Amino acid sequence: MTALPFILLIVAVIAGYLVNRIASRAIRDGGDRLHSLTNYHGLFSALLILVPVLTFILLWLVLQGPVIDGMVMRGLPGGSLDGLDSGGTQLVLAEIKSIANGQVFGTPADWKIAAAERYGQLQSNAGWVLVIAVALLSLALLGFARSRVAADFRARQGVEKIVSGLMIFCSTVAIFTTIGIIVSLTYETIRFLDAVPLTDFLFGTNWEPQIPLREDQIAADGAFGWLPVFVGTIVITVVALAVAVPIGLFSAIYLNEFAPRKFRSVVKPFLEILAGVPTVVYGFFAILVVAPAIRNFGQSIGLDVAPNTALAAGGVMGIMLIPFISSFADDALSAVPRALRDGALGLGSTRGEMMTTVLFPAALPGIVGGVLLAVSRAIGETMIVVMAAGLIAKMTINPLDSVTTVTVQIVTLLIGDTSFDNPKTLAAFALGMMLFLVTLIINIFALRIVRKYREAYD
């Protein structure tokens, strides 16, 4: 039943496109000159049906559940919910839905069976009402679109206006989504700072987010200094970039400027395969191959290497980031105008000098974008760090030691049944706010570099 309104919508969109296109073609074949092409007449009808009807369907599906739930709960016999709080009421509603879906446990009360039957009937009626409403609305819009077909109708402008409205709407959604994320993080961070002083969070060197399980528990206040977590994130990110940036840039430069065409056609697809490997596979590779190899090598030369090291996690993460940097750098180098290359070579530069003095600086904005993407991926990576670097927060910059990152701690704090009323859980939002601010600063710094070199070479 849920799919039937969407099927009707697809049929109506196709029918509207064909009807208006045929009608406009008939006017053109009759000798009148159309203002817009026949395809625009068809697209105008299709979009005029698609946008309002799809919006109507989505709003109906969003509101249908709460409305039916309220009708069912209001129709229960008196006294059925006496003494129940909101949680108990939700459990009763969940049991009624389970009975309506055929999942019966034990012997439910007669009033619950009757409520389940009413719930199923309301769901069925709502589905058929939606189908009828979609059909009528589609027919009305199709008729209106058909009535607009004329030789002087500006169908192209109509299509552009609808598409422009959709783009403005999508942009507005993106903006308000960002604002919503910032507001939610800020609100929960303020709640966290009401329980933990700001100075302890920003400058504390111990991260042990604990809460008391009983009133007489000793040392139950915990420690919420984020510096060990932030330092661990920086260490792993630096190790990853130390691996990814040189390899990615040099491979892009070689493939773009020096490699034979056949070699490039074979190597570049293999290089980009790395981008499609799941991060959990990289985590297995790090913990089963790289970490033991580093530990054995360290023991052979007398170094104390932890079982889980930042070097193993960061090194494997760097391998994962190579295709991002390489692809961005290759695209940026390819986008440099040919005149700059030919001019440098014509003035006597070698290919290496042309690359270092002209091509690379001109492509730097695109290269910075690739490096920035790699930094964001490194900061936000979780699975590789969990498997290869550990969960213990240590105030150390030794890459041979085990560390943790901001994202790993956020996941750890929010695992299981969480209640957002204690410092331990709210600490995840504070870490998220700090991660947001750090990423924002990196973006601002990168944009300044891009703007500087773009002005020099535009």
Side-chain angles (χ1 to χ4, degrees):
M1 180 64 71
T2 304
L4 188 55
F6 292 98
I7 295 175
L8 287 176
L9 174 60
I10 294 173
V11 172
V13 168
I14 296 174
Y17 176 83
L18 295 176
V19 167
N20 271 32
R21 186 180 179 185
I22 293 172
S24 60
R25 183 176 295 178
I27 294 175
R28 184 195 63 185
D29 294 340
D32 294 330
R33 182 178 180 180
L34 293 174
H35 176 275
S36 303
L37 297 175
T38 57
N39 285 337
Y40 283 112
H41 285 273
L43 285 175
F44 175 78
S45 178
L47 291 174
L48 190 63
I49 297 172
L50 176 64
V51 175
V53 176
L54 181 60
T55 303
F56 175 77
I57 293 175
L58 295 179
L59 288 176
W60 182 284
L61 294 178
V62 168
L63 299 176
Q64 174 180 308
V67 171
I68 292 179
D69 292 347
M71 294 175 65
V72 171
M73 299 305 288
R74 286 192 297 270
L76 295 179
S80 302
L81 303 177
D82 291 346
L84 296 179
D85 56 7
S86 60
T89 304
Q90 292 299 320
L91 289 176
V92 172
L93 179 60
E95 184 178 359
I96 292 173
K97 292 181 179 180
S98 298
I99 297 173
N101 294 328
Q103 300 174 355
V104 181
F105 301 97
T107 305
D110 293 338
W111 62 269
K112 291 183 179 179
I113 297 176
E117 293 177 353
R118 185 165 185 264
Y119 178 82
Q121 187 63 40
L122 288 174
Q123 287 275 22
S124 177
N125 293 340
W128 283 112
V129 170
L130 176 60
V131 170
I132 296 172
V134 167
L136 294 176
L137 182 58
S138 299
L139 287 174
L141 292 172
L142 192 153
F144 174 76
R146 173 62 183 84
S147 66
R148 299 300 302 275
V149 177
D152 58 347
F153 176 59
R154 299 175 179 267
R156 180 172 61 84
Q157 282 81 355
V159 171
E160 292 174 351
K161 187 177 296 185
I162 295 175
V163 173
S164 177
L166 288 175
M167 291 190 292
I168 293 173
F169 172 76
C170 293
S171 302
T172 305
V173 169
I175 293 172
F176 279 98
T177 300
T178 305
I179 295 174
I181 292 172
I182 296 173
V183 170
S184 61
L185 283 177
T186 303
Y187 176 76
E188 300 297 342
T189 301
I190 292 174
R191 292 182 59 195
F192 169 76
L193 294 177
D194 288 338
V196 178
L198 178 61
T199 54
D200 292 350
F201 175 66
L202 291 180
F203 306 108
T205 59
N206 190 19
W207 177 261
E208 294 179 2
Q210 302 296 330
I211 57 174
L213 300 178
R214 59 182 186 275
E215 294 183 358
D216 60 343
Q217 185 173 347
I218 301 175
D221 292 336
F224 295 91
W226 89 299
L227 283 180
V229 183
F230 178 68
V231 170
T233 304
I234 295 300
V235 170
I236 291 182
T237 301
V238 170
V239 172
L241 294 179
V243 174
V245 172
I247 297 177
L249 288 182
F250 287 142
S251 62
I253 291 172
Y254 176 73
L255 292 176
N256 184 273
E257 192 64 27
F258 300 100
R261 182 173 299 179
K262 291 184 178 180
F263 182 80
R264 171 186 169 87
S265 63
V266 174
V267 173
K268 189 171 176 60
F270 276 98
L271 185 64
E272 293 180 349
I273 286 176
L274 294 174
V277 178
T279 56
V280 67
V281 176
Y282 283 111
F284 281 125
F285 177 68
I287 195 172
L288 296 177
V289 178
V290 179
I294 294 175
R295 187 166 59 252
N296 293 335
F297 178 76
Q299 292 175 353
S300 66
I301 61 176
L303 290 177
D304 185 17
V305 181
N308 296 320
T309 67
L311 186 61
V316 174
M317 192 184 300
I319 296 174
M320 180 189 71
L321 298 177
I322 288 174
F324 293 96
I325 297 179
S326 178
S327 296
F328 270 82
D330 186 35
D331 294 339
L333 292 171
S334 299
V336 175
R338 188 70 191 179
L340 290 178
R341 304 169 185 255
D342 295 339
L345 294 175
L347 291 174
S349 299
T350 64
R351 295 181 69 183
E353 292 172 339
M354 179 269 295
M355 173 61 67
T356 56
T357 60
V358 176
L359 195 60
F360 187 81
L364 191 61
I367 294 173
V368 170
V371 174
L372 177 62
L373 177 62
V375 171
S376 301
R377 282 295 303 269
I379 292 176
E381 179 54 42
T382 304
M383 186 59 66
I384 296 177
V385 182
V386 170
M387 300 177 69
L391 300 173
I392 301 175
K394 293 183 180 180
M395 191 68 178
T396 178
I397 59 173
N398 182 10
L400 300 180
D401 206 347
S402 62
V403 296
T404 189
T405 63
V406 174
T407 54
V408 171
Q409 289 301 310
I410 291 174
V411 172
T412 304
L413 293 171
L414 297 180
I415 287 178
D417 296 332
T418 56
S419 177
F420 301 106
D421 58 358
N422 59 76
K424 180 179 179 180
T425 306
L426 294 174
F429 295 94
L431 290 177
M433 174 59 74
M434 299 305 297
L435 190 63
F436 173 80
L437 293 176
V438 170
T439 307
L440 179 63
I441 293 172
I442 293 174
N443 276 295
I444 294 174
F445 178 72
L447 287 175
R448 290 178 65 89
I449 295 177
V450 170
R451 188 178 295 112
K452 175 182 176 181
Y453 282 90
R454 182 171 294 164
E455 291 175 354
Y457 285 91
D458 275 351

